[in-house]
């Protein structure tokens, strides 16, 4: 039986890099040698802290991660892929009794070829293109949030990596959004839009607000800034129940929309936009660690406000 090095989260706040068994590949599978994997400060933070709501298949120990990129080293006859092809890996379930939630944080993975997203040369040949493939899940999430909004978003709440991607996509589509941010360390980095504190923004006629803060307590504030029949798109993850005051929402005939998981069409559109130069992923990966230092990397990703995106480098992992 083959094996791989992988991040294993045994219980909340206890993870390590370990050698674990790897399921054999079938004719529809591809084996991918992972070069880089990203750390999600949304979903993976909930797994790490133990605050992830229960769902079928949830449990520890688990291999986290759904932001990996690498190259195919073995392709089954029915996988639809070729050896040497660069691919984005949205996770894997190939570790025997160890759960893959979401299974991408490993040096080598086995996955059905249909789940993997081939990356064109125009994407990979850009400076740092392979590493930036770790941003595709986040960028596809941003694309999905913009696409489902009833109108082009003109206010984005939060200037982390996801907020910046949403703002860049809106600008690429011809918009000029405002972004709210409370952390002074995250006020810079705007490309074609402005970043302000909410207290410094008097505007109360926003047509479409996209919130990526994950803070449900802001809902009343966001509704109060809407134009009549404006909408709030909830694009963060909210682990606590949401509520809002009805009269202000009633007076505005406010719409509240939830942006769920990105779809393959969102990913494909994002890859095309990056490959064509319409969407830039530059400046979003702020921290890198070798996979052997995964425990430190996860703490930094979740605790350091200057960290927009942490990625693990698997290329020299034994």
């Amino acid at each position: 039986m083959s094996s791989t090095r992988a991040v294993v989260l045994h219980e909340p706040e206890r993870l390590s890099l370990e050698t674990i068994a790897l399921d054999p590949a079938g004719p529809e599978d591809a084996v991918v040698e992972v070069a880089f994997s990203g750390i999600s400060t949304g979903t993976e933070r909930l797994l790490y802290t133990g605050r992830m709501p229960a769902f079928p298949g949830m449990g520890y120990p688990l291999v986290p991660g759904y932001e990996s990129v690498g190259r195919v080293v073995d392709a089954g006859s029915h996988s639809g892929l070729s050896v040497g092809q660069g691919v984005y890996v949205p996770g894997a379930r190939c570790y025997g009794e160890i759960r893959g939630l979401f299974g991408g944080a490993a040096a080598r993975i086995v996955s059905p070829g249909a789940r993997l997203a081939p990356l064109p040369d125009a994407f990979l040949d850009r400076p740092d293109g392979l590493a930036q493939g770790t941003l595709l899940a986040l960028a596809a999430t941003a694309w999905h949030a913009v696409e489902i909004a009833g109108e082009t978003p003109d206010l984005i709440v939060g200037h982390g990596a996801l907020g910046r991607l949403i703002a860049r996509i809106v600008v690429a589509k011809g918009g000029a959004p405002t972004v709210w941010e409370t952390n002074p360390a995250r006020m810079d980095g705007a490309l074609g839009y402005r970043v302000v504190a909410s207290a410094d923004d008097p505007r109360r006629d926003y047509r479409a607000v996209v919130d990526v803060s994950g803070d449900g307590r802001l809902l009343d504030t966001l509704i109060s800034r809407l134009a009549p029949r404006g909408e709030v798109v909830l694009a963060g993850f909210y682990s606590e129940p949401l509520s809002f005051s009805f009269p202000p929402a009633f007076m505005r005939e406010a719409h509240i929309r939830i942006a769920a998981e990105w779809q393959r069409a969102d990913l494909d559109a994002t890859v095309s936009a990056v490959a064509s130069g319409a969407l830039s992923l530059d400046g979003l990966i702020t921290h890198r660690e070798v996979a052997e230092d995964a425990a430190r990397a996860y703490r930094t990703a979740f605790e350091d406000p200057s960290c927009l995106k942490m990625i693990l480098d698997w290329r020299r992992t034994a």
Side-chain angles (χ1 to χ4, degrees):
M1 179 178 292
S2 61
S3 62
T4 184
R5 298 285 280 171
V7 173
V8 180
L9 184 57
H10 288 276
E11 61 186 23
E13 301 189 26
R14 186 169 74 89
L15 64 76
S16 58
L17 190 71
E18 302 179 16
T19 300
I20 62 175
L22 193 63
D23 294 344
E28 296 183 351
D29 295 328
V31 180
V32 178
E33 192 169 279
V34 174
F36 303 97
S37 64
I39 297 176
S40 161
T41 56
T43 305
E44 284 190 80
R45 185 201 296 266
L46 294 174
L47 290 172
Y48 183 82
T49 59
R51 294 173 57 232
M52 174 66 79
F55 59 88
M58 175 65 192
Y60 301 88
L62 61 88
V63 176
Y66 55 88
E67 300 175 332
S68 300
V69 65
R71 293 192 180 274
V72 175
V73 294
D74 187 17
S77 57
H78 299 293
S79 68
L81 298 172
S82 303
V83 172
Q85 203 163 8
V87 293
Y88 163 72
V89 182
R93 298 182 181 91
C94 55
Y95 311 108
E97 295 182 357
I98 297 178
R99 294 173 172 85
L101 292 175
F102 297 83
R108 184 169 287 209
I109 64 97
V110 176
S111 171
R115 274 183 52 82
L116 305 175
L119 300 177
D121 290 342
F123 185 103
L124 294 171
D125 290 344
R126 296 171 307 111
D128 212 25
L130 189 60
Q132 289 186 353
T134 59
L135 295 165
L136 283 174
L138 205 58
T141 298
W143 193 279
H144 185 71
V146 173
E147 285 294 293
I148 71 165
E151 297 194 32
T152 301
D154 47 3
L155 175 62
I156 299 155
V157 182
H159 200 226
L162 180 57
R164 292 173 195 232
L165 282 163
I166 293 173
R168 292 181 186 189
I169 291 168
V170 171
V171 170
K173 291 178 176 290
T178 295
V179 177
W180 285 357
E181 179 54 61
T182 59
N183 187 339
R186 293 191 169 187
M187 298 289 283
D188 61 356
L191 297 175
Y193 56 90
R194 68 186 189 114
V195 182
V196 299
S198 59
D200 297 328
D201 181 9
R203 186 174 169 184
R204 294 182 177 273
D205 62 347
Y206 286 108
R207 298 296 309 170
V209 178
V210 179
D211 175 60
V212 297
S213 71
D215 186 355
R217 296 170 298 178
L218 292 177
L219 194 48
D220 278 332
T221 298
L222 302 182
I223 290 172
S224 73
R225 298 301 192 100
L226 291 178
R229 298 190 177 182
E231 70 175 352
V232 176
V233 178
L234 300 174
F237 192 90
Y238 307 83
S239 57
E240 301 296 330
L242 298 176
S243 64
F244 60 92
S245 178
F246 183 73
F250 172 82
M251 288 187 291
R252 290 170 175 79
E253 291 190 305
H255 298 249
I256 298 176
R257 196 186 302 263
I258 297 172
E261 186 177 7
W262 55 268
Q263 303 298 310
R264 184 60 180 258
D266 302 309
L267 181 67
D268 292 343
T270 300
V271 170
S272 295
V274 175
S276 71
L279 175 63
S280 171
L281 301 180
D282 294 345
L284 298 177
I285 298 173
T286 55
H287 292 66
R288 304 178 189 225
E289 294 280 6
V290 294
E292 284 80 1
D293 293 329
R296 180 173 64 188
Y298 274 79
R299 288 193 300 271
T300 300
F302 300 151
E303 298 172 5
D304 185 346
S306 70
C307 182
L308 292 178
K309 193 65 181 177
M310 168 71 78
I311 65 172
L312 296 177
D313 187 339
W314 294 90
R315 292 174 297 175
R316 291 177 293 277
T317 301

